[in-house]
Amino acid sequence: MPVASLPSPYGIGEFGSSCRQFVDYLKECGIAVWQILPLNPLGYGNSPYQPYSSYAGDELYVSLEVLYNEGLLPELPPAFPGSAARVDYQGARAYKADYLMQAFENFVPDEAYEEFIKQDWVYPYAVFLTFKKKNSMKCWNEWPDPYKNWIKDHAFNEHIYDREIHYEMFIQYMFAKQWLSVKSYANAAGIEIMGDLPFYVGIDSLDVWANQENFLIGADGQPTFIAGVPPDYFSATGQRWGNPIYNWDYMKEDHFSFWFNRLAYSSKLFDILRIDHFRAFDTFWKIPASCETAIVGEWIEAPGYQFFNELKKQYPDMNIVVEDLGDMRKEVYELRDHFEFAGMKIIQFVFDPKENNNNFKDRENMLVYTGTHDNQTIRGWFDAQDEETRTVTDLYLKLHGYSDESISRRFIRYALDSIANYAIVPVQDILGIGDEGRLNAPGTLGSPNWEWKLPSMDELIGTADFMKKAVDESGRNQSQPAFVPAGKKLDLEALVMKYVDGKALTDCTAKELLDALTVLGNEFAKQSLCQDGDTVSYIAAYLLDQLQAMGRIVSDTYEGAKKLLTDV
């Protein structure tokens, strides 16, 4: 659940009471991990994966409610007039600006603040953002030379903007203070926060401006090569992210200090770090900056083993999980398993006939998801499938004992019953909503990406009984880290034998078997989430294939029944 999507009267979720209400909901349900999206300053398209800094936080998340409670605002601001069900980034930013400035003017620096701003990223970030604002929010590589070169020569007198710089440092202090308070509240409730760390950083960032030698960029600050992925399930032209590629040769000489500092700071903000696009530690897609799509590029090997060997020596207790989705070469999984990182599996993809990269067995050291922020919601996905896919999905879940009234709840129970140590469920699937709740469509930019927002906590709180029961029945709870499946699978052979008068299936003729499967198909169809003239035949064909795969019928009977089914 992204913080931005939590209920709030100010246009976007923030670090106020709704964060604590959400933590209370998780605790009531017996949920032990809250996964969020990056909280860094939002960049192009309001994407949390194109931030202005890997260290700073976005002012949008600073709670006006908390500022009021701390006496920095004389009265609680009235509600933002926009929609409660969508995030209005531009409107919320403009609305909150005057109140944040008012809080800054009322703030008296204390010892904790003075200690915070000693961190080596705080002042440079404040200068960076101040310079951006003075240059119409243009990327640093488009600034006039005195601004652009300040990070190297400090020749330009930035002190003419001291008030603006101190305002930005105040914002970062309040962000960190409020977020760490939320994290402490969650931890006290037995809940860990899983943060999301993008593999790449944006060109328009302090990360690149202050560390140019770590990237493949020219003397003008423009990338010579950029990051992305080739054509895949999500996009026929690939994904051209636009992030600059790392200069791994320099990073190796510098003992990966840029990366390690990033990880170390993030580990202070989150209990678990999910590294996005892990495969790039093995091989990364290198796109010439002149190319408009990600179709043209080449795979380049990265120093993954050297990187993680040194990281483990310096930070042996850092809790890392990795995103390893997609069409991977085996070396990616070898790298993951060598360092015992938990990878991911998307349940939605398991049932999707267009996707074949999730056809592997579950294991304990894994995270299973009904879907991620890049997926359709379960209901949205199911409704978009053809009749055969919906029928087979519905039937498979029924045969495995999942007969809840909604497809979303069936997927949730299915995920929770996995042996994987982590089962992650988006709030949209808990609510059972359709694609109006989709958070992001990869390969697209701008609205409506990243804009879904929960109008209030009421509907979510109403699902607590179901979630608590589902968690309890799966064997998962906050004191049991290794989980076991509930074992609710139906005995298909016994079900079919009821309709052949108890006769062994190996003794059935093709017609007897098909007649039994058709009767059983009719029974399942009456309870099916999808109704169509072909539903019964889809079910009969699926059950026939399952019996063959289980070795419960002889091949001649299988082939004969198949032919009869085709003739029908």
Side-chain angles (χ1 to χ4, degrees):
M1 177 64 167
V3 172
S5 297
L6 287 169
S8 164
Y10 301 116
I12 187 170
E14 53 178 26
F15 301 148
S17 56
S18 62
C19 270
R20 287 165 172 76
Q21 285 181 303
F22 186 67
V23 168
D24 293 342
Y25 167 83
L26 297 179
K27 182 178 181 181
E28 182 180 354
C29 296
I31 296 170
V33 176
W34 174 13
Q35 180 176 341
I36 63 173
L37 293 181
L39 297 171
N40 309 106
L42 300 170
Y44 185 64
N46 295 314
S47 169
Y49 293 94
Q50 294 280 358
Y52 293 148
S53 167
S54 295
Y55 297 79
D58 200 299
E59 65 197 48
L60 282 168
Y61 302 120
V62 174
S63 169
L64 300 184
E65 173 191 10
V66 173
L67 294 178
Y68 165 73
N69 290 337
E70 292 185 351
L72 293 176
L73 294 175
E75 57 186 27
L76 187 64
F80 174 71
S83 169
R86 306 300 298 178
V87 176
D88 181 350
Y89 289 97
Q90 185 175 355
R93 197 177 295 279
Y95 181 81
K96 296 179 78 167
D98 288 343
Y99 294 107
L100 294 174
M101 180 59 71
Q102 188 177 353
F104 166 65
E105 291 169 347
N106 292 330
F107 176 68
V108 177
D110 54 16
E111 185 177 345
Y113 169 81
E114 297 296 343
E115 192 63 29
F116 174 82
I117 64 173
K118 289 179 182 177
Q119 296 178 94
D120 57 11
W121 65 268
V122 177
Y123 187 79
Y125 176 74
V127 172
F128 170 81
L129 196 53
T130 298
F131 283 5
K132 272 190 72 67
K133 291 179 178 179
K134 296 299 178 182
N135 287 281
S136 305
M137 296 303 289
K138 293 179 180 177
C139 183
W140 63 269
N141 55 26
E142 298 178 37
W143 296 345
D145 286 346
Y147 293 90
K148 179 179 177 179
N149 296 330
W150 178 88
I151 198 69
K152 296 179 179 179
D153 58 26
H154 288 74
F156 180 78
N157 179 20
E158 81 279 12
H159 295 295
I160 62 174
Y161 302 129
D162 265 357
R163 187 170 185 274
E164 292 91 337
I165 291 170
H166 281 89
Y167 169 77
E168 301 299 348
M169 292 196 293
F170 161 79
I171 291 295
Q172 291 309 308
Y173 173 64
M174 284 300 163
F175 172 93
K177 180 181 177 182
Q178 290 187 10
W179 170 246
L180 290 174
S181 176
V182 170
K183 180 179 179 295
S184 295
Y185 185 84
N187 291 165
I191 295 164
E192 293 184 302
I193 305 292
M194 184 185 296
D196 201 348
L197 188 72
F199 180 85
Y200 290 110
V201 297
I203 182 67
D204 189 11
S205 67
L206 174 66
D207 300 293
V208 179
W209 186 46
N211 301 278
Q212 295 175 40
E213 63 280 0
N214 285 274
F215 301 89
L216 297 182
I217 59 177
D220 59 355
Q222 298 291 339
T224 52
F225 295 92
I226 56 175
V229 290
D232 62 5
Y233 175 89
F234 288 114
S235 174
T237 58
Q239 298 177 45
R240 185 187 186 277
W241 298 330
N243 309 72
I245 295 288
Y246 292 119
N247 182 348
W248 284 112
D249 289 337
Y250 176 85
M251 284 189 163
K252 285 189 288 186
E253 294 176 3
D254 194 42
H255 301 286
F256 308 106
S257 62
F258 172 84
W259 254 104
F260 290 2
N261 291 338
R262 247 182 111 206
L263 288 163
Y265 187 76
S266 294
S267 68
K268 297 176 183 178
L269 302 179
F270 313 112
D271 303 296
I272 306 166
L273 295 180
R274 190 198 83 125
I275 298 181
D276 192 53
H277 197 53
F278 171 77
R279 68 116 350 108
F281 282 111
D282 170 69
T283 44
F284 56 90
W285 191 241
K286 185 179 180 182
I287 307 167
S290 58
C291 293
E292 295 183 359
T293 72
I295 295 175
V296 177
E298 60 177 331
W299 288 111
I300 305 296
E301 289 194 1
Y305 284 93
Q306 182 180 346
F307 178 94
F308 285 111
N309 278 325
E310 292 195 29
L311 181 69
K312 290 283 189 179
K313 288 178 183 177
Q314 291 191 39
Y315 302 100
D317 299 323
M318 192 174 286
N319 194 354
I320 291 173
V321 299
V322 300
E323 181 271 301
D324 57 347
L325 301 173
D327 186 12
M328 304 289 175
R329 68 178 197 154
K330 63 181 178 60
E331 287 84 355
V332 177
Y333 304 122
E334 290 170 357
L335 176 66
R336 177 200 67 195
D337 294 342
H338 180 81
F339 293 100
E340 299 181 335
F341 294 137
M344 293 173 55
K345 183 175 185 177
I346 308 301
I347 302 300
Q348 184 182 119
F349 287 162
V350 173
F351 292 92
D352 195 319
K354 300 185 294 294
E355 219 284 350
N356 58 10
N357 292 319
N358 275 248
N359 298 328
F360 50 85
K361 291 184 178 180
D362 291 6
R363 58 186 184 277
E364 287 190 9
N365 192 28
M366 177 189 286
L367 305 91
V368 295
Y369 291 75
T370 55
T372 73
H373 60 271
D374 283 336
N375 289 91
Q376 293 177 271
T377 65
I378 290 302
R379 202 185 91 195
W381 171 83
F382 186 79
D383 289 346
Q385 300 308 302
D386 60 42
E387 188 69 23
E388 182 174 4
T389 301
R390 286 188 289 143
T391 299
V392 169
T393 300
D394 181 38
L395 182 59
Y396 178 92
L397 293 171
K398 274 195 175 73
L399 288 174
H400 286 75
Y402 304 101
S403 56
D404 294 274
E405 64 276 15
S406 78
I407 189 67
S408 302
R409 290 192 170 187
R410 294 185 195 183
F411 268 73
I412 289 170
R413 286 188 177 275
Y414 184 82
L416 290 173
D417 282 347
S418 168
I419 63 170
N421 286 339
Y422 296 94
I424 310 292
V425 180
V427 163
Q428 297 95 313
D429 289 340
I430 295 175
L431 294 170
I433 60 179
D435 273 349
E436 68 275 14
R438 184 170 188 172
L439 202 59
N440 180 54
T444 66
L445 292 171
S447 183
N449 288 340
W450 315 112
E451 292 178 359
W452 178 78
K453 181 171 173 286
L454 194 60
S456 77
M457 287 294 294
D458 295 343
E459 188 177 357
L460 183 62
I461 290 172
T463 68
D465 288 344
F466 162 74
M467 284 303 298
K468 184 177 189 308
K469 184 179 180 182
V471 170
D472 288 345
E473 290 181 353
S474 73
R476 295 175 183 269
N477 56 57
Q478 296 184 30
S479 62
Q480 182 180 337
F483 308 113
V484 295
K488 295 176 281 190
K489 187 173 181 178
L490 299 181
D491 187 338
L492 177 57
E493 183 177 14
L495 284 173
V496 179
M497 288 176 65
K498 285 169 52 180
Y499 298 99
V500 291
D501 298 324
K503 191 176 182 179
L505 299 188
T506 53
D507 296 333
C508 291
T509 66
K511 187 177 185 307
E512 287 175 329
L513 181 61
L514 184 57
D515 286 347
L517 293 179
T518 301
V519 174
L520 184 57
N522 272 298
E523 292 299 315
F524 277 121
K526 292 175 185 177
Q527 312 164 43
S528 178
L529 295 174
C530 35
Q531 296 292 335
D532 184 87
D534 294 326
T535 297
V536 174
S537 61
Y538 289 144
I539 293 174
Y542 177 78
L543 295 175
L544 183 63
D545 288 341
Q546 291 298 301
L547 290 172
Q548 170 71 358
M550 294 161 58
R552 297 296 190 267
I553 54 178
V554 297
S555 58
D556 286 347
T557 305
Y558 172 75
E559 295 298 337
K562 271 285 192 186
K563 185 176 186 307
L564 289 172
L565 190 59
T566 302
D567 292 342
V568 172

